Amino acid sequence: MSETTHNHLLDVPDRERMQALLERLSSYIEQYHGGWVRLVDFDGRVLRVEMGGACAGCHLSATTLQGWVAGTVRQFFPDLEKIVLA
């Protein structure tokens, strides 16, 4: 049995981790809903995002933001205080 080593970076800044998470999440939103979410600002406590595509003007965009985006992000950033639209 061969020994494997991880090549994951362990000291990636939180902002880069958040950016990568939102990019992954946005790809799902784009594929299934035709919309997208983008990082505007993240200071460790407050996440500001922009939503567009089919999400712009959609009456369910608040549900997507608070349900799908917030629900996913808080799994990886439990100390996040709030998520707001920019």
XYZ file of all heavy atoms in Angstrom:
680
model
N 0.844 -1.179 0.000
C 0.000 0.000 0.000
C 0.888 1.240 0.000
O 1.790 1.363 0.809
C -0.892 -0.043 1.234
C -1.971 0.934 1.254
S -3.077 0.386 2.582
C -4.227 1.647 2.503
N 0.639 2.151 -0.906
C 1.482 3.338 -0.983
C 0.938 4.450 -0.098
O -0.256 4.571 0.131
C 1.578 3.827 -2.426
O 0.331 4.284 -2.854
N 1.840 5.241 0.370
C 1.481 6.363 1.224
C 1.179 7.576 0.348
O 1.915 7.869 -0.591
C 2.655 6.673 2.158
C 2.293 7.595 3.266
C 3.460 7.742 4.236
O 4.104 6.732 4.571
O 3.708 8.882 4.627
N 0.076 8.259 0.622
C -0.269 9.450 -0.146
C -0.161 10.679 0.741
O -0.344 10.602 1.953
C -1.694 9.363 -0.715
O -2.613 9.230 0.370
C -1.846 8.193 -1.658
N 0.146 11.771 0.132
C 0.204 13.032 0.856
C -0.800 13.991 0.249
O -1.088 13.939 -0.945
C 1.603 13.665 0.785
O 1.933 13.862 -0.579
C 2.637 12.774 1.453
N -1.334 14.828 1.078
C -2.268 15.844 0.612
C -1.494 17.005 0.012
O -0.439 17.370 0.501
C -3.134 16.366 1.762
C -4.110 15.371 2.254
N -5.363 15.238 1.722
C -4.022 14.435 3.224
C -6.000 14.283 2.329
N -5.211 13.772 3.258
N -2.033 17.572 -1.024
C -1.407 18.755 -1.606
C -2.284 19.985 -1.394
O -2.164 20.960 -2.096
C -1.108 18.543 -3.095
C -2.378 18.322 -3.897
O -3.454 18.210 -3.333
N -2.244 18.256 -5.201
N -3.178 19.920 -0.401
C -4.053 21.044 -0.101
C -3.285 22.099 0.699
O -2.537 21.769 1.615
C -5.257 20.598 0.726
C -6.044 19.517 0.075
N -6.896 19.743 -0.967
C -6.095 18.184 0.309
C -7.444 18.615 -1.336
N -6.969 17.647 -0.576
N -3.516 23.338 0.360
C -2.919 24.414 1.138
C -3.692 24.549 2.444
O -4.912 24.563 2.448
C -2.976 25.726 0.363
C -2.168 25.770 -0.929
C -2.405 27.083 -1.655
C -0.695 25.595 -0.629
N -2.988 24.648 3.541
C -3.638 24.733 4.835
C -3.704 26.146 5.389
O -4.411 26.399 6.348
C -2.904 23.824 5.832
C -2.877 22.345 5.455
C -2.050 21.570 6.463
C -4.281 21.789 5.350
N -2.965 27.044 4.791
C -2.915 28.402 5.324
C -3.479 29.424 4.335
O -2.984 30.539 4.225
C -1.495 28.772 5.735
C -0.514 28.679 4.571
O -0.872 28.124 3.519
O 0.621 29.166 4.732
N -4.521 29.054 3.633
C -5.153 29.956 2.663
C -5.962 30.997 3.429
O -6.718 30.647 4.342
C -6.074 29.160 1.710
C -6.794 30.081 0.761
C -5.276 28.120 0.954
N -5.811 32.262 3.088
C -6.585 33.310 3.765
C -8.093 33.084 3.606
O -8.559 32.559 2.588
C -6.150 34.596 3.060
C -4.832 34.266 2.439
C -4.888 32.807 2.098
N -8.843 33.492 4.625
C -10.294 33.310 4.605
C -10.953 33.935 3.380
O -11.898 33.381 2.832
C -10.931 33.887 5.867
C -10.728 32.979 7.070
O -10.315 31.815 6.886
O -11.008 33.431 8.197
N -10.473 35.085 2.946
C -11.077 35.733 1.778
C -10.936 34.851 0.526
O -11.873 34.736 -0.264
C -10.472 37.109 1.526
C -11.147 37.825 0.353
C -10.631 39.241 0.174
N -11.206 39.841 -0.997
C -12.314 40.570 -1.020
N -12.976 40.785 0.098
N -12.765 41.082 -2.140
N -9.799 34.218 0.368
C -9.603 33.328 -0.784
C -10.478 32.088 -0.676
O -11.022 31.618 -1.675
C -8.136 32.926 -0.904
C -7.248 34.034 -1.419
C -5.810 33.576 -1.580
O -5.595 32.408 -1.974
O -4.907 34.377 -1.304
N -10.620 31.563 0.534
C -11.509 30.419 0.744
C -12.946 30.794 0.417
O -13.670 30.018 -0.215
C -11.422 29.926 2.187
C -10.119 29.246 2.520
C -10.035 28.771 3.974
N -11.226 28.076 4.399
C -11.919 28.377 5.505
N -11.540 29.362 6.297
N -12.980 27.678 5.834
N -13.364 31.995 0.858
C -14.727 32.458 0.597
C -14.937 32.650 -0.904
O -15.977 32.273 -1.452
C -15.018 33.764 1.346
C -16.407 34.309 1.115
S -17.728 33.243 1.731
C -17.629 33.618 3.488
N -13.964 33.235 -1.570
C -14.055 33.452 -3.019
C -14.236 32.119 -3.743
O -15.104 31.985 -4.607
C -12.803 34.161 -3.532
C -12.778 34.389 -5.030
C -13.781 35.429 -5.477
O -13.990 36.420 -4.795
N -14.406 35.206 -6.610
N -13.446 31.136 -3.382
C -13.536 29.825 -4.022
C -14.886 29.159 -3.737
O -15.492 28.557 -4.632
C -12.395 28.928 -3.540
N -15.376 29.285 -2.513
C -16.667 28.708 -2.157
C -17.795 29.359 -2.956
O -18.661 28.672 -3.496
C -16.910 28.864 -0.654
C -18.231 28.341 -0.110
C -18.399 26.854 -0.410
C -18.321 28.619 1.379
N -17.776 30.684 -3.053
C -18.826 31.380 -3.800
C -18.759 31.074 -5.291
O -19.799 30.986 -5.957
C -18.772 32.888 -3.554
C -19.268 33.330 -2.180
C -19.073 34.824 -2.007
C -20.716 32.947 -1.966
N -17.556 30.917 -5.818
C -17.432 30.551 -7.234
C -18.063 29.188 -7.487
O -18.766 28.986 -8.474
C -15.971 30.564 -7.672
C -15.417 31.956 -7.829
C -13.921 31.995 -8.117
O -13.301 30.905 -8.286
O -13.371 33.096 -8.172
N -17.820 28.254 -6.600
C -18.413 26.913 -6.733
C -19.930 26.993 -6.609
O -20.671 26.419 -7.398
C -17.820 26.003 -5.658
C -18.402 24.626 -5.557
C -18.074 23.713 -6.729
N -16.668 23.588 -6.999
C -15.902 22.569 -6.642
N -16.419 21.563 -5.984
N -14.627 22.544 -6.955
N -20.401 27.721 -5.619
C -21.838 27.874 -5.404
C -22.499 28.574 -6.586
O -23.571 28.186 -7.044
C -22.064 28.660 -4.109
C -23.465 28.739 -3.562
C -24.071 27.361 -3.357
C -23.443 29.500 -2.247
N -21.840 29.594 -7.101
C -22.371 30.338 -8.237
C -22.514 29.446 -9.467
O -23.485 29.573 -10.220
C -21.477 31.533 -8.568
O -22.061 32.307 -9.591
N -21.591 28.531 -9.651
C -21.689 27.651 -10.817
C -22.949 26.787 -10.752
O -23.583 26.539 -11.767
C -20.427 26.788 -10.955
O -20.354 25.831 -9.934
N -23.331 26.361 -9.564
C -24.576 25.608 -9.415
C -25.788 26.494 -9.671
O -26.735 26.082 -10.343
C -24.671 24.980 -8.025
C -23.754 23.816 -7.840
C -22.629 23.920 -7.034
C -24.002 22.604 -8.485
C -21.778 22.846 -6.869
C -23.144 21.525 -8.327
C -22.038 21.658 -7.517
O -21.192 20.601 -7.358
N -25.761 27.704 -9.131
C -26.881 28.627 -9.339
C -27.024 28.940 -10.821
O -28.137 28.975 -11.360
C -26.695 29.907 -8.497
C -26.776 29.566 -7.001
C -27.738 30.960 -8.865
C -26.386 30.699 -6.080
N -25.905 29.158 -11.502
C -25.946 29.422 -12.942
C -26.521 28.239 -13.703
O -27.353 28.402 -14.596
C -24.539 29.726 -13.469
C -24.009 31.079 -13.037
C -22.573 31.309 -13.487
O -22.278 30.996 -14.660
O -21.765 31.789 -12.674
N -26.072 27.038 -13.359
C -26.515 25.855 -14.075
C -28.000 25.569 -13.862
O -28.713 25.245 -14.803
C -25.701 24.644 -13.636
C -26.088 23.373 -14.365
C -25.196 22.205 -13.994
O -24.272 22.333 -13.204
N -25.473 21.058 -14.570
N -28.474 25.697 -12.651
C -29.847 25.297 -12.350
C -30.867 26.423 -12.408
O -32.056 26.158 -12.558
C -29.907 24.614 -10.983
C -29.175 23.306 -10.985
C -27.946 23.178 -10.361
C -29.700 22.198 -11.650
C -27.259 21.969 -10.380
C -29.022 20.995 -11.680
C -27.804 20.885 -11.045
O -27.127 19.698 -11.068
N -30.409 27.675 -12.260
C -31.363 28.778 -12.209
C -31.067 29.896 -13.202
O -31.876 30.806 -13.351
C -31.416 29.374 -10.795
C -31.871 28.408 -9.761
N -33.191 28.100 -9.557
C -31.176 27.642 -8.885
C -33.295 27.204 -8.603
N -32.082 26.902 -8.173
N -29.895 29.888 -13.805
C -29.545 30.941 -14.748
C -29.077 32.225 -14.083
O -28.895 33.241 -14.738
N -28.879 32.193 -12.772
C -28.398 33.366 -12.049
C -26.977 33.141 -11.558
O -26.349 32.137 -11.873
N -26.485 34.077 -10.785
C -25.139 33.955 -10.227
C -25.001 34.776 -8.954
O -25.812 35.663 -8.686
C -24.060 34.357 -11.235
C -24.253 35.674 -11.928
C -24.786 35.865 -13.170
C -23.939 36.973 -11.437
N -24.817 37.198 -13.473
C -24.294 37.904 -12.431
C -23.389 37.448 -10.256
C -24.127 39.288 -12.266
C -23.209 38.823 -10.092
C -23.574 39.715 -11.099
N -23.966 34.469 -8.191
C -23.627 35.217 -6.985
C -22.134 35.505 -7.039
O -21.345 34.664 -7.462
C -24.025 34.442 -5.701
C -23.291 33.123 -5.604
C -23.805 35.274 -4.451
N -21.754 36.717 -6.643
C -20.343 37.138 -6.668
C -19.964 37.797 -5.345
O -20.748 38.519 -4.747
C -20.085 38.167 -7.776
C -20.446 37.742 -9.164
C -19.376 36.858 -9.792
N -19.652 36.619 -11.197
C -20.340 35.596 -11.675
N -20.855 34.710 -10.860
N -20.538 35.445 -12.963
N -18.745 37.569 -4.940
C -18.189 38.214 -3.754
C -17.922 39.681 -4.043
O -17.291 40.010 -5.044
C -16.878 37.530 -3.358
C -16.085 38.164 -2.230
C -16.781 37.920 -0.903
C -14.683 37.612 -2.193
N -18.413 40.550 -3.180
C -18.117 41.978 -3.271
C -17.114 42.352 -2.186
O -16.116 43.010 -2.448
C -19.402 42.835 -3.135
C -19.080 44.314 -3.053
C -20.343 42.545 -4.304
N -17.371 41.885 -0.956
C -16.472 42.190 0.155
C -16.674 41.141 1.245
O -17.780 40.620 1.418
C -16.758 43.587 0.711
C -15.714 44.034 1.719
O -14.521 43.745 1.504
O -16.092 44.659 2.726
N -15.608 40.850 1.952
C -15.671 39.919 3.065
C -14.618 40.323 4.071
O -13.432 40.364 3.756
C -15.420 38.486 2.582
C -15.386 37.478 3.682
C -16.473 37.301 4.521
C -14.257 36.695 3.883
C -16.439 36.361 5.544
C -14.212 35.751 4.893
C -15.309 35.581 5.714
N -15.049 40.668 5.285
C -14.112 41.106 6.316
C -13.961 40.087 7.449
O -13.394 40.389 8.489
C -14.522 42.464 6.872
C -15.843 42.441 7.622
O -16.409 41.346 7.842
O -16.324 43.534 8.002
N -14.491 38.898 7.235
C -14.420 37.876 8.263
C -15.689 37.765 9.078
O -15.989 36.724 9.645
N -16.448 38.839 9.167
C -17.695 38.858 9.928
C -18.915 39.108 9.036
O -19.971 38.557 9.263
C -17.637 39.915 11.008
C -16.585 39.669 12.067
C -17.074 40.210 13.369
N -16.332 39.970 14.557
C -16.039 38.807 15.084
N -16.340 37.722 14.469
N -15.401 38.703 16.229
N -18.747 39.964 8.040
C -19.851 40.327 7.139
C -19.443 39.978 5.707
O -18.351 40.321 5.272
C -20.194 41.836 7.238
C -21.283 42.206 6.246
C -20.612 42.193 8.658
N -20.335 39.301 5.027
C -20.125 38.950 3.629
C -21.080 39.780 2.782
O -22.286 39.778 3.028
C -20.407 37.455 3.409
C -20.467 36.968 1.969
C -19.118 37.156 1.267
C -20.911 35.515 1.918
N -20.527 40.503 1.827
C -21.351 41.274 0.885
C -21.251 40.599 -0.469
O -20.142 40.331 -0.940
C -20.863 42.712 0.785
C -21.037 43.503 2.049
C -20.695 44.977 1.842
N -20.739 45.693 3.076
C -21.850 46.063 3.708
N -23.010 45.762 3.187
N -21.801 46.717 4.842
N -22.413 40.332 -1.048
C -22.450 39.671 -2.345
C -23.337 40.444 -3.305
O -24.174 41.264 -2.897
C -22.967 38.218 -2.230
C -22.043 37.373 -1.378
C -24.388 38.159 -1.724
N -23.136 40.157 -4.570
C -23.969 40.686 -5.636
C -24.602 39.480 -6.314
O -23.959 38.449 -6.480
C -23.097 41.453 -6.628
C -23.829 41.975 -7.828
C -22.896 42.644 -8.826
O -21.667 42.417 -8.763
O -23.420 43.358 -9.678
N -25.867 39.617 -6.672
C -26.545 38.552 -7.397
C -27.005 39.110 -8.737
O -27.405 40.253 -8.829
C -27.727 38.013 -6.598
C -27.300 37.353 -5.297
S -28.667 36.753 -4.309
C -29.106 35.290 -5.244
N -26.927 38.290 -9.766
C -27.320 38.762 -11.088
C -27.830 37.637 -11.951
O -28.157 36.556 -11.464
N -27.881 37.893 -13.238
C -28.464 36.928 -14.155
C -29.941 36.803 -13.849
O -30.625 37.796 -13.590
N -30.446 35.604 -13.829
C -31.858 35.376 -13.543
C -32.234 35.763 -12.111
O -33.411 35.970 -11.816
C -32.217 33.921 -13.798
N -31.251 35.889 -11.223
C -31.530 36.287 -9.836
C -31.897 37.770 -9.737
O -32.591 38.170 -8.806
C -30.338 36.000 -8.938
S -30.025 34.241 -8.683
N -31.420 38.582 -10.664
C -31.710 40.027 -10.637
C -33.203 40.232 -10.864
O -33.739 39.854 -11.899
C -30.906 40.752 -11.701
N -33.862 40.770 -9.886
C -35.286 41.049 -9.998
C -36.191 39.864 -9.724
O -37.403 39.989 -9.755
N -35.619 38.700 -9.454
C -36.431 37.514 -9.168
C -37.003 37.620 -7.764
O -36.280 37.950 -6.814
C -35.588 36.248 -9.302
S -36.467 34.742 -8.826
N -38.280 37.318 -7.618
C -38.909 37.404 -6.295
C -38.400 36.333 -5.329
O -38.632 36.425 -4.130
C -40.435 37.347 -6.424
C -40.960 36.024 -6.866
N -40.905 35.598 -8.172
C -41.521 35.013 -6.162
C -41.417 34.389 -8.264
N -41.797 34.004 -7.066
N -37.678 35.347 -5.826
C -37.119 34.311 -4.962
C -35.626 34.501 -4.671
O -35.002 33.651 -4.035
C -37.337 32.927 -5.580
C -38.791 32.470 -5.658
C -38.894 31.151 -6.401
C -39.396 32.353 -4.265
N -35.058 35.620 -5.113
C -33.624 35.822 -4.894
C -33.271 35.926 -3.412
O -32.210 35.467 -2.992
C -33.114 37.041 -5.666
O -33.742 38.212 -5.221
N -34.162 36.486 -2.599
C -33.901 36.556 -1.152
C -33.862 35.157 -0.555
O -33.047 34.864 0.327
C -34.954 37.407 -0.453
N -34.712 34.275 -1.055
C -34.711 32.887 -0.597
C -33.426 32.191 -1.022
O -32.825 31.437 -0.248
C -35.935 32.138 -1.162
O -37.110 32.812 -0.729
C -35.960 30.705 -0.703
N -32.988 32.441 -2.244
C -31.730 31.869 -2.718
C -30.575 32.375 -1.866
O -29.708 31.606 -1.449
C -31.491 32.221 -4.198
O -32.561 31.693 -4.977
C -30.170 31.658 -4.705
N -30.575 33.674 -1.568
C -29.503 34.261 -0.762
C -29.486 33.681 0.646
O -28.448 33.214 1.116
C -29.648 35.786 -0.700
C -28.619 36.507 0.171
C -27.223 36.350 -0.408
C -28.986 37.967 0.319
N -30.619 33.721 1.327
C -30.647 33.290 2.725
C -30.673 31.772 2.872
O -30.145 31.242 3.835
C -31.831 33.925 3.458
C -31.716 35.423 3.575
C -30.398 35.881 4.193
O -29.890 35.311 5.150
N -29.817 36.924 3.622
N -31.262 31.090 1.916
C -31.335 29.642 2.012
C -30.109 28.958 1.458
O -29.332 28.341 2.180
N -29.918 29.078 0.170
C -28.857 28.344 -0.498
C -27.471 28.927 -0.195
O -26.563 28.222 0.244
C -29.109 28.344 -1.995
C -28.388 27.267 -2.748
C -27.383 26.463 -2.291
C -28.613 26.890 -4.095
N -26.977 25.605 -3.276
C -27.710 25.843 -4.392
C -29.477 27.329 -5.083
C -27.663 25.248 -5.637
C -29.419 26.720 -6.319
C -28.524 25.698 -6.588
N -27.313 30.228 -0.402
C -25.996 30.848 -0.195
C -25.618 30.844 1.288
O -24.577 30.314 1.671
C -25.950 32.274 -0.790
C -24.619 32.949 -0.476
C -26.205 32.242 -2.295
N -26.471 31.431 2.125
C -26.151 31.520 3.554
C -26.023 30.137 4.186
O -25.120 29.898 4.984
C -27.212 32.340 4.280
N -26.919 29.238 3.819
C -26.871 27.897 4.380
C -25.569 27.184 4.072
O -25.003 26.491 4.924
N -25.083 27.355 2.869
C -23.828 26.722 2.470
C -22.630 27.414 3.111
O -21.756 26.775 3.693
C -23.675 26.735 0.937
O -24.783 26.028 0.366
C -22.372 26.082 0.512
N -22.589 28.732 3.021
C -21.446 29.496 3.526
C -21.262 29.296 5.029
O -20.142 29.124 5.510
C -21.608 30.992 3.176
C -20.622 31.846 3.936
C -21.447 31.193 1.675
N -22.355 29.263 5.769
C -22.240 29.135 7.235
C -21.714 27.771 7.667
O -21.218 27.626 8.788
C -23.572 29.463 7.881
C -23.836 30.952 7.844
C -24.827 31.396 8.890
N -24.738 32.825 9.058
C -25.617 33.690 8.568
N -26.651 33.262 7.882
N -25.462 34.980 8.769
N -21.796 26.787 6.803
C -21.205 25.485 7.134
C -19.676 25.581 7.212
O -19.042 24.871 7.986
C -21.577 24.445 6.087
C -23.039 24.069 6.103
C -23.349 23.064 5.024
O -22.611 22.096 4.832
N -24.431 23.295 4.314
N -19.106 26.462 6.398
C -17.654 26.608 6.327
C -17.138 27.811 7.115
O -15.966 27.866 7.450
C -17.214 26.720 4.865
C -17.537 25.490 4.080
C -18.711 25.389 3.365
C -16.668 24.403 4.079
C -19.023 24.249 2.653
C -16.968 23.251 3.379
C -18.157 23.172 2.659
N -18.016 28.781 7.378
C -17.663 29.989 8.115
C -18.704 30.212 9.216
O -19.536 31.118 9.125
C -17.619 31.205 7.177
C -16.525 31.128 6.151
C -16.737 30.482 4.934
C -15.288 31.698 6.388
C -15.734 30.396 3.985
C -14.274 31.620 5.438
C -14.496 30.968 4.241
N -18.690 29.391 10.258
C -19.736 29.463 11.291
C -19.752 30.759 12.102
O -20.764 31.087 12.699
C -19.441 28.255 12.188
C -18.007 27.937 11.943
C -17.729 28.332 10.519
N -18.656 31.513 12.096
C -18.608 32.767 12.851
C -19.123 33.962 12.054
O -19.137 35.088 12.578
C -17.189 33.044 13.331
C -16.700 31.990 14.311
O -17.542 31.398 15.023
O -15.478 31.739 14.357
N -19.556 33.738 10.849
C -20.077 34.810 10.002
C -21.318 35.421 10.667
O -22.228 34.702 11.082
C -20.440 34.241 8.626
C -20.754 35.224 7.535
C -19.531 36.060 7.189
C -21.229 34.482 6.303
N -21.340 36.736 10.784
C -22.456 37.408 11.456
C -23.627 37.676 10.513
O -24.774 37.532 10.904
C -21.987 38.718 12.087
C -21.045 38.482 13.252
C -20.492 39.760 13.830
O -20.896 40.867 13.402
O -19.633 39.664 14.721
N -23.327 38.123 9.286
C -24.422 38.359 8.354
C -23.954 38.353 6.916
O -22.771 38.542 6.629
C -25.181 39.651 8.668
C -24.393 40.927 8.529
C -25.298 42.101 8.904
C -24.502 43.380 8.930
N -25.356 44.533 9.214
N -24.922 38.134 6.053
C -24.705 38.124 4.614
C -25.690 39.113 4.017
O -26.896 39.025 4.280
C -24.936 36.716 4.022
C -23.984 35.723 4.676
C -24.784 36.737 2.512
C -24.285 34.282 4.369
N -25.169 40.074 3.262
C -26.018 41.122 2.705
C -25.758 41.316 1.227
O -24.674 41.023 0.711
C -25.792 42.466 3.444
C -26.207 42.365 4.900
C -24.353 42.912 3.343
N -26.779 41.797 0.538
C -26.627 42.173 -0.864
C -25.953 43.520 -0.928
O -26.285 44.436 -0.192
C -27.982 42.246 -1.559
C -28.612 40.931 -1.956
C -30.001 41.165 -2.514
C -27.747 40.200 -2.959
N -25.027 43.658 -1.835
C -24.300 44.929 -2.000
C -25.111 45.862 -2.883
O -25.908 45.458 -3.686
C -22.949 44.681 -2.618
